Amino acid sequence: MTHDTSADTDAATGPSAEGPAVTVERRGHVLLMGLNRPEKRNAFTMEMLEQLARAYYLLESDPEIRCGVLFGRGKHFTGGLDLQEVGPKVGTGELDFTTPGLRDPWRKEGTWTTPVVMAVQGWVMTLAIELLLAADIRVASSDAKFSQMEINRGIYAFGGATIRLPREAGWGNAMRWLLTGEPYDAAEAHRIGLVQEVVEPGQQLERAIQIAEHISEKAAPLGVKTTLESAHRARIEGEQAAFHRLEPDMARLLRTEDGREGMASFIERRAARFTGK
């Protein structure tokens, strides 16, 4: 759902009316993905959806990328879908992420092995909350305002919030916001587990990058991928299927170069130097 689309930018996050709808930048092993329509409060068009899906494909398919950061340029993360353009296409089933080179940014299908840290500020509306729920670690500016307002426009949250928010926040907390569409603040988002950290305005992207760089530089890449695989397996196949793979996956990791390096660094009391092999 969109809102007033008057100009609204913030130099702190480097907004630009030029260039792609979603910027993609490599910083070491981290992939920075920025929503880049600040003059329209990052309201999602079909072009933005496709470009974000391409960025998520790169995130998951490039072995050199160990973590992603999703953020919005300008004062707001997003006001939601640009319904004037996207709405009719939703009704005809044209939102299709099965084309080669695309991955669904809402991560509704399949197993994912590259973590995503998400930074939000200002308006965090509708599909933005569902992107948060699909991310792995979430950081919010203290000025962020959240709303799952689809229910007030004759539709409902179809990007996964009806499934994930009850799991993350508990039934009552989820229904409180899904069924009313009322806005809530960053403190409430933190209370219900929608975000893991709340920081001062303007610090959300820096903090998200710090977390992503820690994962990409300090954590063993194969261990990170296996951790996410295990969690997704439990979600998709059930807990018993995930439990069944714990020991075999551990044995496999111990046979890798990173596994041997991890053991050696522990014995030698030094920082590990992981290569992802």
Side-chain angles (χ1 to χ4, degrees):
M1 184 65 60
T2 66
H3 297 272
D4 175 25
T5 54
S6 59
D8 203 350
T9 60
D10 182 358
T13 53
S16 172
E18 304 298 328
V22 177
T23 61
V24 177
E25 175 191 352
R26 294 173 184 263
R27 183 175 298 190
H29 293 291
V30 175
L31 187 70
L32 301 178
M33 302 169 287
L35 306 183
N36 191 37
R37 202 184 178 213
E39 74 282 0
K40 300 294 184 181
R41 293 189 172 103
N42 289 327
F44 270 79
T45 62
M46 291 297 293
E47 179 185 26
M48 286 183 71
L49 289 170
E50 179 178 337
Q51 290 187 18
L52 185 57
R54 291 192 183 282
Y56 268 60
Y57 178 85
L58 176 63
L59 174 80
E60 190 64 16
S61 62
D62 190 326
E64 292 300 311
I65 297 171
R66 299 180 183 177
C67 194
V69 173
L70 179 61
F71 68 99
R73 296 179 181 276
K75 290 184 178 180
H76 303 285
F77 180 78
T78 182
L81 284 175
D82 188 334
L83 278 183
Q84 185 173 354
E85 185 209 357
V86 181
K89 299 182 185 301
V90 173
T92 57
E94 294 182 46
L95 288 180
D96 182 8
F97 298 107
T98 61
T99 302
L102 304 182
R103 286 296 299 263
D104 177 6
W106 288 271
R107 292 170 138 185
K108 296 191 293 291
E109 296 182 1
T111 298
W112 293 73
T113 62
T114 307
V116 174
V117 184
M118 193 163 155
V120 297
Q121 78 284 351
W123 287 348
V124 188
M125 303 297 187
T126 59
L127 81 166
I129 295 173
E130 296 176 299
L131 285 170
L132 276 170
L133 290 166
D136 301 294
I137 303 170
R138 312 125 192 182
V139 180
S141 167
S142 60
D143 68 355
K145 298 295 182 184
F146 303 79
S147 179
Q148 197 84 64
M149 62 174 61
E150 291 94 336
I151 203 75
N152 302 131
R153 297 296 184 265
I155 54 176
Y156 86 126
F158 64 94
T162 57
I163 300 162
R164 289 171 169 149
L165 194 57
R167 185 177 66 211
E168 297 274 341
W171 185 269
N173 288 326
M175 293 304 116
R176 170 68 180 86
W177 304 116
L178 284 171
L179 296 180
T180 65
E182 292 181 336
Y184 53 98
D185 61 16
E188 174 66 1
H190 187 257
R191 185 189 74 82
I192 66 176
L194 180 59
V195 300
Q196 282 65 61
E197 292 189 26
V198 177
V199 298
E200 291 297 316
Q203 299 300 309
Q204 68 281 351
L205 178 56
E206 178 183 353
R207 180 60 183 139
I209 292 173
Q210 287 175 348
I211 294 170
E213 289 181 337
H214 182 93
I215 293 170
S216 67
E217 295 170 6
K218 303 295 184 182
L222 297 178
V224 170
K225 289 182 178 296
T226 305
T227 297
L228 280 180
E229 283 177 335
S230 179
H232 280 293
R233 184 174 295 113
R235 175 180 61 84
I236 297 170
E237 301 176 28
E239 289 187 358
Q240 285 305 312
F243 279 129
H244 182 71
R245 287 286 298 273
L246 292 180
E247 291 183 9
D249 284 345
M250 182 63 172
R252 175 179 56 82
L253 286 174
L254 288 173
R255 293 193 296 268
T256 66
E257 291 181 19
D258 278 359
R260 292 191 290 271
E261 168 64 11
M263 292 298 102
S265 67
F266 176 77
I267 293 170
E268 297 167 13
R269 298 184 179 182
R270 59 171 174 82
R273 296 180 291 272
F274 296 119
T275 62
K277 298 178 181 179

